[in-house]
Amino acid sequence: MNDKIDDMESKEKTKTGKHGSRIHVSKRLIQSLVAAVLLTILIISTTMSPNTQTNVRVIDSVFRSFGDRGLKLASEKEASSLVGQTMIDKGIEVTINDVLYDGTRLSIGYTMEGKIGELEQLDLLVNDEPISGSVGYTGSFLSKRAYAGIITVISTNELPKDFKLTIILNKIGNKKGSWEFKDIPVKNQDHILNSKIITPMVTKPLRGGSITIEEILISDSSIELNVTESNTPEGYDYQVIDNYGNVLRPLSGSGYGEGEGDIMKNEFTFEPLHNNPQHFVIKVLAPEYENTSLIKDIKVKVTDKFPIIISQGEGGEISVNKIEYLKNKTLVHYTYKGNDPYGNGLCVWVEDNRMKILDNPTESTQRNKINYTTDGSYILECNRINKNKEITIGTKVLPDINSILEFEIPLK
């Protein structure tokens, strides 16, 4: 189950969990990346399971169709650039559809057609110079031979205000080839996206060391949190909550060590704020999943009696309120009560009596669609299911998240 928490050790190898939950920075991983010259691939969240039959040729903006909330808003404000460059090699057609640099992240929307696979070799150049940092992938199959994806880049160094971007692909799946897109003009659109910088420079002690919230870049498309961890025993997870109680969705994380590794410079990116909050709270979370033997599946058979209540133990509670059996898909409406909406709250799936997962794979990069309110409402999209078919709702018994340090940051 790729989108469930079944391999906790993967937290030490990536910046996001297997279902895009909390952001974790491993000190061992960061220290090994300091000397990296070229872009280092750190986050891979790609769905390679064909299902729907959407025509890739009708897609002009990948951001508008498949992006997170910040990318959709940037596209609507015309802050992103429509590129439309196409290269064909080895029977694979690749199109760069959109590009956005908001001062925090560089996002690239692309589509592929043909006998496609994952992007295996990727180089990015800014003004003909390689950049260092982290890159993440998300995407969905549109048909058996068509794919739409988004590349997210968090550069170690600040990028120029305006620059020319070159994207070089040398391998897709098991196909070696050449797909090169040269000198794509990119402009920092932070003025369109109402960007501003807050410099709290607030330091609090933690376990013999300290954590400093140095700088926060806020825009309509994303939030970048710059944190320094000094002499702390390990890298920590972070959660951002606005004063309405909304937990902001984490997007990526990167960092590097200074000196002997006692000082860690970290950058975390989150989806943007909404509803003009007066302040938000940054929570530093205790190390999670120390006893993975306590994490186990729990499944409940679906009947015609709702709600169906499923306890996750300390991790929260799932309440399945209704199931819509539509002609082309099935929608599971549920609410989550707990402290971890992008971790435990998304750990829900549907399977039949043969334990086959019925979730729609093209929705797995978004996972369950969450309403941006404090009521914790979700819609899990599944493939079409016969109403008479025997199905079960699955989740896991999970630990709660524990805050060991909190910062309240005013926004006015």
Side-chain angles (χ1 to χ4, degrees), residues 43-47 62 66-68 71 108 110 136-140 147-152 251 365-366:
I43 316 168
I44 300 177
S45 178
T46 310
T47 304
V62 174
F66 300 98
D68 57 55
L71 291 178
I108 303 164
Y110 68 97
Y137 300 96
T138 58
S140 296
Y147 186 83
I150 295 172
I151 304 168
T152 301
L251 299 174
T365 52
Q366 301 176 191

Side-chain angles (χ1 to χ4, degrees), residues 144-343:
K144 291 182 179 180
R145 295 175 57 83
Y147 186 83
I150 295 172
I151 304 168
T152 301
V153 182
I154 307 295
S155 176
T156 301
N157 302 314
E158 185 176 352
L159 299 180
K161 189 79 173 177
D162 303 324
F163 57 88
K164 291 184 178 179
L165 174 68
T166 296
I167 303 168
I168 303 172
L169 292 167
N170 292 314
K171 188 178 181 183
I172 298 176
N174 59 4
K175 293 280 187 180
K176 291 185 177 181
S178 178
W179 299 266
E180 184 172 336
F181 305 86
K182 286 188 63 67
D183 295 335
I184 299 170
V186 181
K187 293 185 177 182
N188 185 338
Q189 300 287 25
D190 55 3
H191 60 291
I192 299 177
L193 297 169
N194 300 314
S195 298
K196 64 179 179 180
I197 297 176
I198 298 175
T199 53
M201 294 303 296
V202 181
T203 300
K204 290 188 177 184
L206 179 64
R207 296 181 175 177
S210 65
I211 290 183
T212 302
I213 307 299
E214 293 191 346
E215 184 178 78
I216 305 170
L217 286 73
I218 299 174
S219 76
D220 293 337
S221 59
S222 63
I223 293 176
E224 181 185 286
L225 178 64
N226 291 274
V227 180
T228 295
E229 298 175 359
S230 301
N231 299 304
T232 57
E234 57 187 299
Y236 291 99
D237 291 358
Y238 291 81
Q239 191 180 62
V240 178
I241 304 173
D242 68 21
N243 60 273
Y244 301 109
N246 296 301
V247 180
L248 304 186
R249 182 188 291 268
L251 299 174
S252 64
S254 62
Y256 60 94
E258 288 186 346
E260 298 297 321
D262 293 333
I263 297 177
M264 295 290 156
K265 297 285 189 178
N266 305 314
E267 294 181 359
F268 303 97
T269 307
F270 298 82
E271 282 194 346
L273 297 165
H274 50 98
N275 297 331
N276 296 316
Q278 303 298 306
H279 68 266
F280 60 70
V281 174
I282 299 169
K283 291 186 176 183
V284 183
L285 306 179
E288 57 180 336
Y289 309 131
E290 294 178 350
N291 188 351
T292 58
S293 65
L294 299 178
I295 299 172
K296 59 183 180 180
D297 288 358
I298 180 169
K299 304 173 187 178
V300 175
K301 186 178 297 185
V302 172
T303 66
D304 57 358
K305 294 181 180 180
F306 293 95
I308 300 170
I309 307 297
I310 310 175
S311 173
Q312 294 180 327
E314 294 180 353
E317 181 182 275
I318 301 296
S319 175
V320 181
N321 302 311
K322 71 173 181 177
I323 299 178
E324 287 186 277
Y325 296 90
L326 306 177
K327 289 184 178 180
N328 60 341
K329 59 187 174 182
T330 299
L331 302 178
V332 178
H333 298 255
Y334 72 92
T335 54
Y336 165 76
K337 292 181 180 179
N339 298 316
D340 190 10
Y342 293 108

